[in-house]
Amino acid sequence: MSTAAAPARPGQVLADLLPVSRVRDAALVVGGAALTGLAAQIAVPVPGSPVPVTGQTFAALLVGTTLGASRGLSALVLYALAGLAGVPWFAGGTSGVSVSFGYILGMLLASAAVGALARRGADRSMLRMAGTMLVGEAIIYAVGVPYLAYAADLSVSAAIAAGLTPFLIGDAVKAALAMGLLPSAWKLVKR
């Protein structure tokens, strides 16, 4: 077990630059879950939609990208299980299963996918980071919108209107933030 941080190299995510230990990995997973829970408290209701605009999707994708697929997925599993167990850290301080729980399930898969892409260097340039965020958001919606249609007894078109369309501008802003944040972090590391 090494306590020294390694220089950046291909196949790494930002978290790999921290000194290696099991305690580090556990702290990163718990921290990723907590960040997602805190970001979910930034919740703005959307008229006509049972799903609010939140910071949790951005946090989930950021967690996956910075921690990598395995730790990112573990963090989101912890987040989901704790919320199901009653920790009030889903959107707007809720817990348990709701009509928007499909988005949380989508975030599990998305965090793993963007983490795997980050291991291949997708977080090191603005253009590749944009594509990574697009993949992550697409996965979240691919699970969340059908779940919303089922849970809220909506038609597919109504679920798209309530659970996808109102969120596209916010997702573009989140992608822009990630496009600036993660490649900049790698540039700082290289100094």
Side-chain angles (χ1 to χ4, degrees), residues 107-131:
M107 285 181 235
L108 297 172
L109 299 173
S111 67
V114 299
L117 290 171
R119 286 236 179 260
R120 291 168 178 79
D123 60 341
R124 298 189 189 195
S125 76
M126 290 181 73
L127 185 58
R128 289 166 67 181
M129 192 63 220

Side-chain angles (χ1 to χ4, degrees), residues 39-122:
Q41 303 320 301
I42 302 167
V44 178
V46 175
S49 176
V51 181
V53 171
T54 70
Q56 85 189 68
T57 55
F58 177 70
L61 296 175
L62 187 65
V63 164
T65 306
T66 58
L67 300 186
S70 177
R71 289 181 299 240
L73 176 61
S74 296
L76 270 291
V77 166
L78 176 60
Y79 168 70
L81 290 176
L84 287 172
V87 174
W89 65 356
F90 289 164
T94 62
S95 63
V97 177
S98 70
V99 295
S100 62
F101 189 70
Y103 296 95
I104 294 169
L105 296 174
M107 285 181 235
L108 297 172
L109 299 173
S111 67
V114 299
L117 290 171
R119 286 236 179 260
R120 291 168 178 79

Side-chain angles (χ1 to χ4, degrees), residues 14-57:
L14 284 169
D16 293 335
L17 302 178
L18 298 172
V20 177
S21 77
R22 289 181 191 193
V23 172
R24 171 204 70 173
D25 288 344
L28 289 171
V29 166
V30 170
L35 174 67
T36 306
L38 287 172
Q41 303 320 301
I42 302 167
V44 178
V46 175
S49 176
V51 181
V53 171
T54 70
Q56 85 189 68
T57 55

Side-chain angles (χ1 to χ4, degrees), residues 120-161:
R120 291 168 178 79
D123 60 341
R124 298 189 189 195
S125 76
M126 290 181 73
L127 185 58
R128 289 166 67 181
M129 192 63 220
T132 300
M133 291 295 285
L134 182 62
V135 166
E137 290 290 350
I139 292 169
I140 293 168
Y141 288 123
V143 178
V145 172
Y147 186 95
L148 175 64
Y150 170 76
D153 197 27
L154 299 173
S155 68
V156 172
S157 61
I160 290 170

